[in-house]
């Protein structure tokens, strides 16, 4: 039951299981009547129509923390950041980096936290479909651990687990 997903009425009295055995708690995204998620049995990515419970394979590639922007699904894995259309077509690696952790989409940018080989943990912004990348913030691994990436009014907000400090930095304009 740990990684099952339920639908509940507004009073909280009735619940119905709609997905069982997801890979993890942050491995799904809801888009209208569709739930996109990684299945914990075969580690493939599926789309589930909430209304008719039709399950459709989107990709057999394992990934993490899916996000939806426009007609695209974004996720990352050991190779970097991928995107594909909601129907599973057009899958492409759009940014190669094997150590991405935490990601968000803002307008035409991908924001992510990555650990570099020299022990530096970096918050980066990369233009989707472009080559421009900017380091927004960095910290040595022994000094902090960045996580929980979100966007609020042209600022990216993130959290340092070691110091329990919240940070906010501006996002570049293209």
């Amino acid at each position: 039951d740990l990684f099952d997903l339920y639908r509940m009425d507004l009073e909280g009295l009735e619940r119905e299981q709609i997905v069982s055995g997801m890979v993890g708690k942050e491995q799904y995204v809801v888009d209208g009547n569709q739930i996109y998620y990684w299945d914990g049995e075969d580690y493939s990515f599926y789309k589930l129509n909430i209304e008719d419970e039709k399950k459709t394979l989107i990709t057999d590639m394992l990934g993490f923390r899916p996000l939806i922007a426009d007609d695209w699904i974004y996720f990352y894995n050991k190779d970097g950041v991928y995107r594909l259309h909601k129907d599973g077509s057009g899958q492409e690696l759009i940014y190669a980096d094997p150590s991405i952790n935490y990601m968000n989409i803002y307008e035409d940018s991908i924001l992510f936290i990555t650990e570099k080989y020299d022990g530096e943990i970096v918050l980066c912004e990369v233009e989707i479909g472009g080559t421009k990348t900017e380091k927004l913030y960095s910290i040595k691994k022994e000094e902090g651990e960045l996580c929980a990436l979100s966007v609020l009014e042209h600022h990216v907000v993130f959290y340092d687990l070691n110091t329990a400090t919240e940070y906010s930095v501006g996002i570049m304009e293209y």
Side-chain angles (χ1 to χ4, degrees):
D1 283 358
L2 182 59
F3 297 121
D4 296 344
L5 189 63
Y6 292 84
R7 173 178 25 208
M8 186 173 285
D9 65 8
L10 294 176
E11 290 80 32
L13 301 174
E14 294 186 36
R15 75 176 192 170
E16 171 190 2
Q17 183 182 34
I18 53 176
V19 177
S20 66
M22 291 186 297
V23 172
K25 63 180 179 177
E26 296 176 350
Q27 304 306 340
Y28 72 94
V29 63
V30 177
D31 183 47
N33 289 335
Q34 310 294 327
I35 298 173
Y36 295 86
Y37 69 98
W38 269 278
D39 188 282
E41 291 184 22
D42 65 5
Y43 299 103
S44 294
F45 192 63
Y46 289 93
K47 171 176 67 174
L48 176 71
N49 184 304
I50 296 170
E51 301 303 319
D52 63 13
E53 299 183 11
K54 180 181 176 192
K55 181 177 172 181
T56 305
L57 176 69
I58 300 298
T59 182
D60 59 3
M61 180 182 288
L62 178 61
F64 303 97
R65 293 194 170 104
L67 299 168
I68 292 181
D70 299 321
D71 189 39
W72 294 98
I73 300 169
Y74 295 83
F75 63 91
Y76 64 88
N77 67 12
K78 64 181 177 48
D79 300 320
V81 178
Y82 282 85
R83 77 175 179 178
L84 59 126
H85 288 285
K86 291 178 186 177
D87 65 4
S89 66
Q91 183 171 299
E92 62 180 320
L93 177 66
I94 58 172
Y95 188 78
D97 185 331
S99 60
I100 288 178
N101 194 6
Y102 300 100
M103 180 179 78
N104 211 326
I105 304 294
Y106 176 74
E107 294 181 355
D108 293 329
S109 297
I110 300 169
L111 305 161
F112 59 88
I113 295 171
T114 184
E115 183 176 337
K116 299 300 180 189
Y117 297 107
D118 64 358
E120 181 181 35
I121 299 174
V122 182
L123 169 63
C124 293
E125 178 180 12
V126 63
E127 181 182 14
I128 296 173
T131 57
K132 189 173 183 179
T133 303
E134 181 176 326
K135 179 174 21 174
L136 300 175
Y137 183 84
S138 68
I139 191 169
K140 289 290 184 188
K141 185 175 183 177
E142 59 271 9
E143 297 172 4
E145 184 178 347
L146 305 182
C147 69
L149 191 63
S150 59
V151 178
L152 179 65
E153 297 182 13
H154 301 288
H155 284 80
V156 58
V157 179
F158 53 98
Y159 190 77
D160 181 341
L161 287 176
N162 290 358
T163 63
T165 305
E166 185 176 87
Y167 295 93
S168 175
V169 295
I171 300 173
M172 65 184 177
E173 297 293 325
Y174 293 105

